[in-house]
Every structure is written in structure tokens, then in C-alpha cells.
Amino acid sequence: MTVPGAIPDPVPDRPPGPAPLRMGDDTPGPALRPVTPISVPVPVAYRYCERIVRTRARNFAYGIRLLAPPKRRALSALYAFARRIDDIGDAAGPVDARLSALEEARAGLRAPRPNPADPVLVALRDTATRFPVPLDAFEELIDGCAADVAGARYQSYEDLVGYCREVAGSIGRLSLGVFGLADEAARDDGALRRAARLADSLGVALQLTNVLRDLREDRCAGRVYLPADDLRRFGCTLDLDASGAFTDPPERLARLIRYEAGRALGWYAEGVSLIPLLDRRSAACTAAMAGIYRRLLARIAADPGRALAERVSLTPWAKATVAARAIMGAAR
């Protein structure tokens, strides 16, 4: 499972800590005093989270650059914690150990006070004091990631959409807590409920794009997200040969991918209705991220064979072009 906007890099997501104690000889010395845990200052915690975004989420980073610094820092904190959960799910190792690590992350989220030595939790808790973010939505992400670790498969499209709502719709709703509604929308009592529904739909669109982009990578790791009903419909198994290539006939796989891409486009069509409800800079941010992912989806649908052979991505220039158009659109 991949958090929307993420491009994995070998950058560890762990808080800085003291150097390990090095044992010397047995010469008696002064009594050791208890070590006081390091307390990470809030500004340092936010900078740590922003570095994670820069190095691990290049698509996401293009969007949040368009926000004012307080909102950019807040979204970085949300992303950093989501990235941590995702990394636990994708890590190698025993299932029980990864499930235990997910429960530790859940416990850290629920703790009355964050671990002062953990910059991600420090920044996340500070964000929750400044913006109305529903931190309990992260529990849905943890649940979805736990299902990944346990090897869940999806029988129907509705099952897959339910998973997407957990792992990506939840992020959409969290982000909405940081974004601000446009003045006109803010005066409408029902606007916030509509915005939450649309943020959820946009999250589903982004996650379905991830599923198609990472189809081969996930399959090599033993994960299958496409519904069993759809695989039967198109006569596909997603089995791999000894070289890691799909054994299904290419034309069947192409039809399957284009079919799923068309479904994802329907979620984009609904989700982008969120944009007019947001304030100008939040609208530009959301339009940039949605535009980058929708263009990525178009590339996958245009050349399914390439998507099955390698990870499809956009060039930095293409992403910058989408972001620039988002800014111009929000300025109108």
C-alpha cells in the first residue's frame, strides 16, 4: 500500500536520538545519572516532517508548496505520520511483528501527550491544536494497513473502494481539516459535510491510481488489490512467471487496466468538485495534486503494457506545469 503522493526512497523515517552508549573498560567511574529523554522543539519537529515530504512524496510536495507556511507544515506532519504507518506495512519481516508495530503507532496516536522525543508525534499533536483535524481518522489508515499486512484480498469492487476509503479517504478528510473553505462555502451550513464527502471521493481516486501504478510491484510483494470479480471478468489471474512477468495475455491485462482506469476517472470527476469549496490557496494545492495524479492515470491507460513493465511517473517539468495551471485556475 502506498500513501497517495508517495514515491518510495531509501530514507528512514525515525526520530533522531542520542548516540548509542559505548562501553569502555571496567575502570570504576562516577555513578551514571538517569538519561533524560530528548525533547524535540516544535519548529524542529515540523522541519523534520517537511524533510520527509521533500524526500518521500515528490508528487505531494508539488501541491503543498502552494500553501501558506502554517498549512504546509501541518500537512507535512499529517503526511509524515501516514508515511510511518505505510512503511510499517511495507517492511519486511514477520506479520506479527508488523501488526504489533502498527498497534504501537496507534497507541502513540492515542496517548494523552506525545512522546517528546518523537518529532512526528510532536508536530502532529501541535497541528491538532491549531487545526480541526480528526486524528482518529488515522485509525482507519492503520486498519487498512493491517489488512494489507494480513494479506487481504478483495472480492468485489465495493470491497476495494472500502479499502481505499480507509487508507486514502481518511487522508482526504484529515487534509480538509487543514484546508480552509472559501468564504461563500463557509457560510453554508452543509458545505463542510459536502466537502468531507468529496475529499473522501478524491482520496479514493488517488488510491485507485496508486493501485494501477504499482500493480507489478505489489504483485511481486504478494499483494493483489484488483477485485477477484474483475479478474474473472477479464480472464486474468495476475500470476507471474519465473522472471516476474505477468503470464496473462497482454491484451486481457490492457483491457482490465483501462476498465479500472475508467472507474478511477469517475471518482476524480466527483472528487474535484471539492476544489470550488476551498479557499484560493487550498484549492490550488488540491487541484495540483489531483491534476498530477489524473495525468498519471491517463498515461497508464494510454500504455498499459508500459505500466505493467515499469513504474510510470511524470517528469518534474510535467508536474510543475500542472501546478502552474492550478495556480492560474485558483486565481480566476
Side-chain angles (χ1 to χ4, degrees), residues 4-5 53-54 57-69 71-73 75-76 175 179 206 278-293 316 319-324 326-327 330:
V53 170
R54 287 195 304 271
R58 296 168 196 158
N59 290 340
F60 187 70
Y62 272 89
I64 69 170
R65 287 175 188 172
L66 307 180
L67 294 172
K71 291 184 179 182
R72 186 168 63 241
R73 289 191 292 267
L75 279 184
S76 295
S175 299
F179 293 148
L206 298 177
L278 302 177
D279 69 44
R280 184 176 60 83
R281 294 183 73 165
S282 297
C285 171
T286 303
M289 287 189 285
I292 287 170
Y293 261 68
K319 295 175 188 177
T321 299
V322 173
I327 295 172

Side-chain angles (χ1 to χ4, degrees), residues 149-170:
V149 172
R153 299 287 179 97
Y154 303 98
Q155 180 66 36
S156 68
Y157 185 69
E158 290 71 24
D159 294 336
L160 174 59
V161 168
Y163 163 78
C164 291
R165 289 189 190 281
E166 282 187 327
V167 301
S170 58

Side-chain angles (χ1 to χ4, degrees), residues 268 290-300 314 317-319 321-322 325:
Y268 279 111
I292 287 170
Y293 261 68
R294 192 155 52 175
R295 182 173 290 193
L296 180 63
L297 181 67
R299 287 199 175 185
I300 292 170
L314 301 182
W317 174 255
K319 295 175 188 177
T321 299
V322 173
R325 288 175 179 169

Side-chain angles (χ1 to χ4, degrees), residues 99-110:
L99 291 175
S100 177
L102 287 172
E103 290 309 310
E104 288 180 13
R106 194 192 304 271
L109 182 70
R110 291 176 174 178

Side-chain angles (χ1 to χ4, degrees), residues 189-204:
D189 292 339
L192 188 57
R193 289 192 298 274
R194 291 200 306 276
R197 176 178 58 81
L198 295 170
D200 188 89
S201 297
L202 190 54
V204 171

